[in-house]
Amino acid sequence: MRIWQQPISTEILTRISQNTAVAHLGIEFLEVGDDFLSARVPVDHRTHQPFGLLHGGVSVVLAETLGSCGAGFAIPEGYSAVGLDINANHLKGVKSGWVTGVARPVHLGRSTHVWQIDLRNDAGELSCVSRITMAILSPR
């Protein structure tokens, strides 16, 4: 079942992310399905922590980007989605390549959304699991 209530595409997501942290970190939107969206982040000098691994905060940026965009396009025009809580479990370090995230809704309620975001390395191994709770605000 298609969950989107507003026009959404990788082109739209890329356009609205220009001149933001998303673009600065090299995050690329890959796919929008009927009930998911995906993006990837490079694991390079922009995204490493001092010990040569993907910075855990960058994993959270990718997860929050996907969950926030998902919620923002799965609500009616005029409504807003703002983050309430995000958590992440870092399962496997990544030194190079790409980390790809896929976000799917767990709950699409009237006043809150909960999104699950799974991040995987190039070998398909789970590197991080994250969950974000979004508040859905009525138009003012």
Side-chain angles (χ1 to χ4, degrees), residues 52-139:
L53 296 171
L54 177 65
H55 194 293
V58 173
S59 294
V60 176
V61 170
L62 178 59
E64 184 154 359
T65 298
L66 286 165
S68 294
C69 287
F73 285 87
I75 56 176
E77 180 115 17
Y79 283 71
S80 300
V82 295
L84 285 177
D85 181 66
I86 189 165
N87 68 60
N89 296 104
H90 305 289
L91 307 173
K92 186 173 186 67
V94 182
K95 293 183 177 183
S96 63
W98 293 86
V99 167
T100 300
V102 177
R104 286 188 161 78
V106 174
H107 168 74
L108 297 176
R110 181 184 52 76
S111 60
T112 61
H113 283 193
V114 177
W115 288 74
Q116 172 78 29
I117 305 97
D118 292 336
L119 279 60
R120 297 182 182 275
N121 64 18
D122 287 334
E125 300 166 318
L126 204 54
S127 63
C128 179
V129 293
S130 182
R131 186 169 279 197
I132 189 168
T133 302
M134 304 292 295
I136 308 304
L137 306 177
S138 301

Side-chain angles (χ1 to χ4, degrees), residues 15-93:
R15 182 175 38 78
I16 66 172
S17 298
Q18 291 176 357
N19 299 312
T20 69
V22 174
H24 178 72
L25 292 172
I27 293 172
E28 299 176 358
F29 292 96
L30 299 174
E31 186 176 3
V32 175
D34 285 346
D35 65 349
F36 74 93
L37 62 153
S38 67
R40 67 183 187 166
V41 67
V43 182
D44 63 18
H45 68 280
R46 295 171 288 182
T47 58
H48 279 154
Q49 41 95 309
F51 304 104
L53 296 171
L54 177 65
H55 194 293
V58 173
S59 294
V60 176
V61 170
L62 178 59
E64 184 154 359
T65 298
L66 286 165
S68 294
C69 287
F73 285 87
I75 56 176
E77 180 115 17
Y79 283 71
S80 300
V82 295
L84 285 177
D85 181 66
I86 189 165
N87 68 60
N89 296 104
H90 305 289
L91 307 173
K92 186 173 186 67

